[in-house]
Every structure is written in structure tokens, then in C-alpha cells.
Amino acid sequence: GEFWLGSPASETGHQEDETRHLVQITKPFYFSAHEVTQKQYESVMGYNPTHSKDADKPVENVSWNEAVDFCGKLSEQEGHQYRLPTEAEWEYACRAGTTTAYSFGDDASRLGQYAWYSGNSDYITHTGGEKLPNPWGLYDMHGNVWEWCQDWYGAYPSGSVSDPLGPASGAGRVHRGGDWSGEGVKCMSARRGPISSRTRGKHLGFRIAMSPTAAAEKAVPK
């Protein structure tokens, strides 16, 4: 597919690091409908680092390094190529064909129907799937926990690009989507920021992508 990554300067909440540019996604990928849960994480890693324990809530207090380690171990267990999504893949999936501030439109008053954030969360995480999904059936792309992406954080290119992987190095890794403790503007589709790959926190979780292989194509139901 092809989409506009970032946000226009006219959008309420626009940041300077969200320079809008055209991105082509030429390689297919699978994307998990939910954030990785504590139960899923513990089944692979053998422990649960989460502050707010509940098997069906998203795992949090996970560093970028630990999220990558989870993907590697899950890949070994199941024989598929699991990984963190690139920043471009994440926003492509979040937008689900939309060009608005959120995947449901520009009306921020509707955010509570789709996201757990400071306005409705009681300052705790919540079980995935309790809010409405985006147009592609993905839950909690806005709010609940921030989600790690593969990329180093850096300035966007000025022109159109295909399958961007981000800069070769940087001061931190990209996190996306907003969380239970932040204001609604931080849940916008284009909102991004850097965090050290070693950082853990009650607000940091992740979801995974899978690169298709011949074996995976046969295994995943259509």
C-alpha cells in the first residue's frame, strides 16, 4: 500500500518531527490485533515484569531489548519470523487507510470509545479489546500502553520512500500510540518520540509483526 506518514502542519497537535511524506509499503506483513499480554509474554520468557499484574492485560515494564528478545524466542518456538514493526508499518496499520488525526477521525471527543488514556483509564492499564477497533480490526492502537517500534528515532526524509527502516543510529528507539497516563493528543496516529532501548516503565509495552514465509502462509488462517 501507499499512505501519508506524519501529520500536516495544520493538524491540531502537530509536532515538528511529524513532517508528512509519502511512504510505500511494498512487503506484506502480519500485524497482531492486540498488544502482547502478560500471559503471552510469560509463556515465552518465563517471567512477568509487569507492575499491574493481570494475565489478560498488556505486558508493560518491558524494555526495547526485552521486546526484541521476546520476538526472537517466539520465532524459535513457532518457526515464524516475528519482530517489532517498523515505525512506518506501525503507522500504516494504525491509520488503516485514514488520513485524520486518529483512525476514527478528527473529533477528539470520540477518543474514549477507542482508547484508554488519562481521561478515562483511572490511571491503570486495561484488558485489550474492551474498546472499539480501528477500521482494520486492530485494538488499542490508541492508548493503553506505548508500543515499541524497530526504528531508531530520527528526522523523517523530505521525499517519498519505500519500506523505510529509520536512521542507522540514534539516541533512542521509537515508541508509538500513547498510553493510559497521557492526554489524548499523545494518542494521535502520527505522534512519536524516542526512549532509550534500556528503559522500562508502567507505560511501555509492545505488539508484534510477522514477516510472511511460505510456511507461515500455509499456517495462518485466511
mmCIF file of all heavy atoms in Angstrom, residues 172-207:
data_model
loop_
_atom_site.group_PDB
_atom_site.id
_atom_site.type_symbol
_atom_site.label_atom_id
_atom_site.label_comp_id
_atom_site.label_asym_id
_atom_site.label_seq_id
_atom_site.Cartn_x
_atom_site.Cartn_y
_atom_site.Cartn_z
ATOM 1 N N GLY A 172 17.610 7.060 20.800
ATOM 2 C CA GLY A 172 16.567 6.246 21.401
ATOM 3 C C GLY A 172 15.749 5.547 20.342
ATOM 4 O O GLY A 172 15.861 5.840 19.150
ATOM 5 N N ARG A 173 14.927 4.608 20.767
ATOM 6 C CA ARG A 173 14.045 3.887 19.865
ATOM 7 C C ARG A 173 12.657 4.535 19.863
ATOM 8 O O ARG A 173 12.230 5.128 20.854
ATOM 9 C CB ARG A 173 13.925 2.427 20.297
ATOM 10 C CG ARG A 173 15.243 1.677 20.266
ATOM 11 C CD ARG A 173 15.686 1.363 18.845
ATOM 12 N NE ARG A 173 16.939 0.599 18.830
ATOM 13 C CZ ARG A 173 17.491 0.073 17.728
ATOM 14 N NH1 ARG A 173 16.893 0.237 16.556
ATOM 15 N NH2 ARG A 173 18.617 -0.601 17.803
ATOM 16 N N VAL A 174 11.972 4.389 18.750
ATOM 17 C CA VAL A 174 10.653 4.997 18.592
ATOM 18 C C VAL A 174 9.610 4.244 19.416
ATOM 19 O O VAL A 174 9.597 3.014 19.460
ATOM 20 C CB VAL A 174 10.237 4.988 17.118
ATOM 21 C CG1 VAL A 174 8.784 5.452 16.956
ATOM 22 C CG2 VAL A 174 11.159 5.874 16.288
ATOM 23 N N HIS A 175 8.736 4.992 20.076
ATOM 24 C CA HIS A 175 7.548 4.408 20.697
ATOM 25 C C HIS A 175 6.325 5.144 20.173
ATOM 26 O O HIS A 175 6.385 6.325 19.851
ATOM 27 C CB HIS A 175 7.629 4.446 22.225
ATOM 28 C CG HIS A 175 7.666 5.813 22.821
ATOM 29 N ND1 HIS A 175 8.682 6.714 22.585
ATOM 30 C CD2 HIS A 175 6.811 6.448 23.666
ATOM 31 C CE1 HIS A 175 8.458 7.837 23.247
ATOM 32 N NE2 HIS A 175 7.321 7.708 23.909
ATOM 33 N N ARG A 176 5.201 4.425 20.089
ATOM 34 C CA ARG A 176 4.030 4.930 19.391
ATOM 35 C C ARG A 176 2.740 4.637 20.145
ATOM 36 O O ARG A 176 2.644 3.678 20.894
ATOM 37 C CB ARG A 176 3.930 4.275 18.009
ATOM 38 C CG ARG A 176 4.946 4.758 16.975
ATOM 39 C CD ARG A 176 4.741 6.218 16.650
ATOM 40 N NE ARG A 176 5.228 6.575 15.340
ATOM 41 C CZ ARG A 176 4.471 7.036 14.349
ATOM 42 N NH1 ARG A 176 3.176 7.183 14.498
ATOM 43 N NH2 ARG A 176 4.998 7.359 13.196
ATOM 44 N N GLY A 177 1.711 5.458 19.916
ATOM 45 C CA GLY A 177 0.357 5.126 20.264
ATOM 46 C C GLY A 177 -0.250 5.740 21.512
ATOM 47 O O GLY A 177 -1.441 5.620 21.733
ATOM 48 N N GLY A 178 0.557 6.342 22.371
ATOM 49 C CA GLY A 178 0.006 6.893 23.599
ATOM 50 C C GLY A 178 -0.224 5.830 24.655
ATOM 51 O O GLY A 178 -0.062 4.638 24.417
ATOM 52 N N ASP A 179 -0.650 6.258 25.842
ATOM 53 C CA ASP A 179 -0.819 5.298 26.935
ATOM 54 C C ASP A 179 -1.911 5.750 27.900
ATOM 55 O O ASP A 179 -2.503 6.817 27.753
ATOM 56 C CB ASP A 179 0.502 5.090 27.672
ATOM 57 C CG ASP A 179 0.851 6.253 28.586
ATOM 58 O OD1 ASP A 179 0.827 7.403 28.105
ATOM 59 O OD2 ASP A 179 1.134 6.034 29.773
ATOM 60 N N TRP A 180 -2.142 4.935 28.926
ATOM 61 C CA TRP A 180 -3.196 5.148 29.918
ATOM 62 C C TRP A 180 -2.997 6.408 30.753
ATOM 63 O O TRP A 180 -3.955 6.923 31.323
ATOM 64 C CB TRP A 180 -3.273 3.938 30.852
ATOM 65 C CG TRP A 180 -1.948 3.577 31.480
ATOM 66 C CD1 TRP A 180 -1.031 2.694 30.991
ATOM 67 C CD2 TRP A 180 -1.395 4.081 32.693
ATOM 68 N NE1 TRP A 180 0.072 2.621 31.817
ATOM 69 C CE2 TRP A 180 -0.134 3.470 32.879
ATOM 70 C CE3 TRP A 180 -1.841 5.003 33.652
ATOM 71 C CZ2 TRP A 180 0.684 3.744 33.976
ATOM 72 C CZ3 TRP A 180 -1.014 5.268 34.737
ATOM 73 C CH2 TRP A 180 0.221 4.654 34.894
ATOM 74 N N SER A 181 -1.775 6.913 30.831
ATOM 75 C CA SER A 181 -1.498 8.048 31.708
ATOM 76 C C SER A 181 -1.394 9.374 30.971
ATOM 77 O O SER A 181 -1.309 10.421 31.596
ATOM 78 C CB SER A 181 -0.197 7.806 32.483
ATOM 79 O OG SER A 181 0.921 7.808 31.602
ATOM 80 N N GLY A 182 -1.392 9.340 29.635
ATOM 81 C CA GLY A 182 -1.167 10.548 28.857
ATOM 82 C C GLY A 182 -2.449 11.171 28.345
ATOM 83 O O GLY A 182 -3.499 10.528 28.254
ATOM 84 N N GLU A 183 -2.371 12.439 27.980
ATOM 85 C CA GLU A 183 -3.513 13.136 27.426
ATOM 86 C C GLU A 183 -3.817 12.642 26.015
ATOM 87 O O GLU A 183 -2.982 12.002 25.368
ATOM 88 C CB GLU A 183 -3.257 14.645 27.425
ATOM 89 C CG GLU A 183 -2.021 15.043 26.650
ATOM 90 C CD GLU A 183 -1.679 16.508 26.817
ATOM 91 O OE1 GLU A 183 -2.579 17.274 27.187
ATOM 92 O OE2 GLU A 183 -0.528 16.883 26.553
ATOM 93 N N GLY A 184 -5.006 12.949 25.557
ATOM 94 C CA GLY A 184 -5.475 12.426 24.286
ATOM 95 C C GLY A 184 -4.617 12.759 23.094
ATOM 96 O O GLY A 184 -4.485 11.956 22.173
ATOM 97 N N VAL A 185 -4.007 13.941 23.085
ATOM 98 C CA VAL A 185 -3.207 14.349 21.934
ATOM 99 C C VAL A 185 -2.025 13.410 21.715
ATOM 100 O O VAL A 185 -1.548 13.245 20.590
ATOM 101 C CB VAL A 185 -2.728 15.814 22.107
ATOM 102 C CG1 VAL A 185 -1.685 15.930 23.207
ATOM 103 C CG2 VAL A 185 -2.203 16.380 20.788
ATOM 104 N N LYS A 186 -1.576 12.751 22.773
ATOM 105 C CA LYS A 186 -0.445 11.826 22.648
ATOM 106 C C LYS A 186 -0.842 10.511 21.998
ATOM 107 O O LYS A 186 0.016 9.691 21.676
ATOM 108 C CB LYS A 186 0.183 11.568 24.017
ATOM 109 C CG LYS A 186 0.835 12.802 24.612
ATOM 110 C CD LYS A 186 1.515 12.506 25.932
ATOM 111 C CE LYS A 186 2.203 13.753 26.490
ATOM 112 N NZ LYS A 186 2.862 13.488 27.793
ATOM 113 N N CYS A 187 -2.143 10.296 21.820
ATOM 114 C CA CYS A 187 -2.646 9.078 21.190
ATOM 115 C C CYS A 187 -2.846 9.230 19.686
ATOM 116 O O CYS A 187 -3.300 8.290 19.026
ATOM 117 C CB CYS A 187 -3.966 8.657 21.826
ATOM 118 S SG CYS A 187 -3.891 8.257 23.574
ATOM 119 N N MET A 188 -2.529 10.383 19.129
ATOM 120 C CA MET A 188 -2.751 10.626 17.711
ATOM 121 C C MET A 188 -1.933 9.673 16.843
ATOM 122 O O MET A 188 -0.862 9.213 17.241
ATOM 123 C CB MET A 188 -2.422 12.078 17.383
ATOM 124 C CG MET A 188 -3.391 13.059 18.041
ATOM 125 S SD MET A 188 -2.845 14.787 17.970
ATOM 126 C CE MET A 188 -2.941 15.087 16.211
ATOM 127 N N SER A 189 -2.437 9.382 15.659
ATOM 128 C CA SER A 189 -1.804 8.397 14.773
ATOM 129 C C SER A 189 -0.360 8.738 14.432
ATOM 130 O O SER A 189 0.474 7.839 14.264
ATOM 131 C CB SER A 189 -2.610 8.264 13.480
ATOM 132 O OG SER A 189 -3.916 7.799 13.740
ATOM 133 N N ALA A 190 -0.047 10.016 14.327
ATOM 134 C CA ALA A 190 1.294 10.438 13.919
ATOM 135 C C ALA A 190 2.241 10.684 15.088
ATOM 136 O O ALA A 190 3.444 10.880 14.869
ATOM 137 C CB ALA A 190 1.210 11.701 13.067
ATOM 138 N N ARG A 191 1.743 10.687 16.310
ATOM 139 C CA ARG A 191 2.571 11.050 17.465
ATOM 140 C C ARG A 191 3.702 10.046 17.668
ATOM 141 O O ARG A 191 3.490 8.836 17.650
ATOM 142 C CB ARG A 191 1.722 11.177 18.720
ATOM 143 C CG ARG A 191 2.467 11.652 19.970
ATOM 144 C CD ARG A 191 3.209 12.972 19.769
ATOM 145 N NE ARG A 191 2.386 14.075 19.364
ATOM 146 C CZ ARG A 191 1.898 14.988 20.207
ATOM 147 N NH1 ARG A 191 2.158 14.900 21.499
ATOM 148 N NH2 ARG A 191 1.151 15.984 19.746
ATOM 149 N N ARG A 192 4.907 10.537 17.902
ATOM 150 C CA ARG A 192 6.088 9.696 18.023
ATOM 151 C C ARG A 192 7.054 10.306 19.020
ATOM 152 O O ARG A 192 6.951 11.491 19.371
ATOM 153 C CB ARG A 192 6.772 9.538 16.664
ATOM 154 C CG ARG A 192 7.264 10.870 16.071
ATOM 155 C CD ARG A 192 7.576 10.802 14.582
ATOM 156 N NE ARG A 192 8.670 9.903 14.276
ATOM 157 C CZ ARG A 192 9.920 10.306 13.972
ATOM 158 N NH1 ARG A 192 10.225 11.603 13.943
ATOM 159 N NH2 ARG A 192 10.851 9.442 13.685
ATOM 160 N N GLY A 193 8.003 9.514 19.460
ATOM 161 C CA GLY A 193 9.017 10.026 20.362
ATOM 162 C C GLY A 193 10.097 8.992 20.603
ATOM 163 O O GLY A 193 9.925 7.807 20.293
ATOM 164 N N PRO A 194 11.264 9.420 21.162
ATOM 165 C CA PRO A 194 12.360 8.499 21.433
ATOM 166 C C PRO A 194 12.456 8.129 22.911
ATOM 167 O O PRO A 194 12.183 8.942 23.788
ATOM 168 C CB PRO A 194 13.578 9.324 21.025
ATOM 169 C CG PRO A 194 13.198 10.737 21.394
ATOM 170 C CD PRO A 194 11.697 10.832 21.245
ATOM 171 N N ILE A 195 12.819 6.889 23.179
ATOM 172 C CA ILE A 195 13.138 6.435 24.527
ATOM 173 C C ILE A 195 14.336 5.495 24.424
ATOM 174 O O ILE A 195 14.443 4.707 23.474
ATOM 175 C CB ILE A 195 11.964 5.695 25.196
ATOM 176 C CG1 ILE A 195 10.742 6.601 25.341
ATOM 177 C CG2 ILE A 195 12.344 5.179 26.574
ATOM 178 C CD1 ILE A 195 9.564 5.948 26.046
ATOM 179 N N SER A 196 15.214 5.533 25.407
ATOM 180 C CA SER A 196 16.360 4.623 25.439
ATOM 181 C C SER A 196 15.882 3.177 25.384
ATOM 182 O O SER A 196 14.885 2.810 26.023
ATOM 183 C CB SER A 196 17.169 4.847 26.720
ATOM 184 O OG SER A 196 18.077 3.781 26.929
ATOM 185 N N SER A 197 16.590 2.357 24.624
ATOM 186 C CA SER A 197 16.197 0.954 24.462
ATOM 187 C C SER A 197 16.283 0.167 25.763
ATOM 188 O O SER A 197 15.738 -0.937 25.869
ATOM 189 C CB SER A 197 17.068 0.278 23.400
ATOM 190 O OG SER A 197 18.441 0.370 23.729
ATOM 191 N N ARG A 198 16.932 0.722 26.771
ATOM 192 C CA ARG A 198 17.047 0.036 28.067
ATOM 193 C C ARG A 198 15.944 0.443 29.044
ATOM 194 O O ARG A 198 15.816 -0.142 30.120
ATOM 195 C CB ARG A 198 18.410 0.343 28.701
ATOM 196 C CG ARG A 198 19.594 -0.168 27.902
ATOM 197 C CD ARG A 198 20.891 0.072 28.644
ATOM 198 N NE ARG A 198 21.133 1.491 28.874
ATOM 199 C CZ ARG A 198 21.724 2.305 28.010
ATOM 200 N NH1 ARG A 198 22.122 1.838 26.837
ATOM 201 N NH2 ARG A 198 21.917 3.583 28.291
ATOM 202 N N THR A 199 15.147 1.436 28.669
ATOM 203 C CA THR A 199 14.128 1.966 29.572
ATOM 204 C C THR A 199 12.975 0.984 29.764
ATOM 205 O O THR A 199 12.515 0.353 28.818
ATOM 206 C CB THR A 199 13.581 3.289 29.027
ATOM 207 O OG1 THR A 199 14.637 4.252 28.963
ATOM 208 C CG2 THR A 199 12.470 3.839 29.906
ATOM 209 N N ARG A 200 12.518 0.878 31.001
ATOM 210 C CA ARG A 200 11.301 0.144 31.322
ATOM 211 C C ARG A 200 10.344 1.107 32.023
ATOM 212 O O ARG A 200 10.783 2.070 32.630
ATOM 213 C CB ARG A 200 11.587 -1.030 32.256
ATOM 214 C CG ARG A 200 12.551 -2.071 31.717
ATOM 215 C CD ARG A 200 12.720 -3.201 32.713
ATOM 216 N NE ARG A 200 13.719 -4.169 32.294
ATOM 217 C CZ ARG A 200 15.002 -4.098 32.610
ATOM 218 N NH1 ARG A 200 15.435 -3.088 33.362
ATOM 219 N NH2 ARG A 200 15.849 -5.006 32.191
ATOM 220 N N GLY A 201 9.054 0.823 31.968
ATOM 221 C CA GLY A 201 8.097 1.679 32.652
ATOM 222 C C GLY A 201 6.704 1.089 32.616
ATOM 223 O O GLY A 201 6.397 0.217 31.795
ATOM 224 N N LYS A 202 5.859 1.575 33.503
ATOM 225 C CA LYS A 202 4.477 1.097 33.588
ATOM 226 C C LYS A 202 3.676 1.423 32.333
ATOM 227 O O LYS A 202 2.586 0.892 32.138
ATOM 228 C CB LYS A 202 3.785 1.736 34.794
ATOM 229 C CG LYS A 202 4.376 1.374 36.141
ATOM 230 C CD LYS A 202 3.652 2.104 37.262
ATOM 231 C CE LYS A 202 4.243 1.796 38.618
ATOM 232 N NZ LYS A 202 3.551 2.538 39.713
ATOM 233 N N HIS A 203 4.213 2.301 31.511
ATOM 234 C CA HIS A 203 3.502 2.760 30.323
ATOM 235 C C HIS A 203 4.026 2.139 29.037
ATOM 236 O O HIS A 203 3.517 2.422 27.958
ATOM 237 C CB HIS A 203 3.614 4.277 30.218
ATOM 238 C CG HIS A 203 5.035 4.760 30.154
ATOM 239 N ND1 HIS A 203 5.945 4.553 31.165
ATOM 240 C CD2 HIS A 203 5.706 5.435 29.188
ATOM 241 C CE1 HIS A 203 7.107 5.077 30.832
ATOM 242 N NE2 HIS A 203 6.982 5.613 29.640
ATOM 243 N N LEU A 204 5.042 1.269 29.115
ATOM 244 C CA LEU A 204 5.719 0.766 27.921
ATOM 245 C C LEU A 204 5.440 -0.706 27.667
ATOM 246 O O LEU A 204 5.793 -1.571 28.479
ATOM 247 C CB LEU A 204 7.239 0.962 28.054
ATOM 248 C CG LEU A 204 7.813 2.306 27.644
ATOM 249 C CD1 LEU A 204 9.279 2.406 28.043
ATOM 250 C CD2 LEU A 204 7.655 2.516 26.140
ATOM 251 N N GLY A 205 4.812 -1.008 26.528
ATOM 252 C CA GLY A 205 4.581 -2.375 26.101
ATOM 253 C C GLY A 205 4.898 -2.501 24.620
ATOM 254 O O GLY A 205 5.677 -1.728 24.074
ATOM 255 N N PHE A 206 4.271 -3.463 23.952
ATOM 256 C CA PHE A 206 4.540 -3.634 22.520
ATOM 257 C C PHE A 206 3.521 -4.592 21.898
ATOM 258 O O PHE A 206 2.784 -5.268 22.598
ATOM 259 C CB PHE A 206 5.956 -4.155 22.284
ATOM 260 C CG PHE A 206 6.224 -5.561 22.790
ATOM 261 C CD1 PHE A 206 6.340 -6.626 21.907
ATOM 262 C CD2 PHE A 206 6.389 -5.813 24.155
ATOM 263 C CE1 PHE A 206 6.604 -7.922 22.359
ATOM 264 C CE2 PHE A 206 6.663 -7.103 24.616
ATOM 265 C CZ PHE A 206 6.757 -8.159 23.719
ATOM 266 N N ARG A 207 3.485 -4.583 20.576
ATOM 267 C CA ARG A 207 2.799 -5.628 19.815
ATOM 268 C C ARG A 207 3.736 -6.077 18.714
ATOM 269 O O ARG A 207 4.744 -5.428 18.452
ATOM 270 C CB ARG A 207 1.441 -5.168 19.290
ATOM 271 C CG ARG A 207 1.460 -4.277 18.079
ATOM 272 C CD ARG A 207 0.034 -3.989 17.615
ATOM 273 N NE ARG A 207 -0.636 -3.082 18.554
ATOM 274 C CZ ARG A 207 -1.959 -3.120 18.792
ATOM 275 N NH1 ARG A 207 -2.726 -4.002 18.171
ATOM 276 N NH2 ARG A 207 -2.510 -2.262 19.630
#
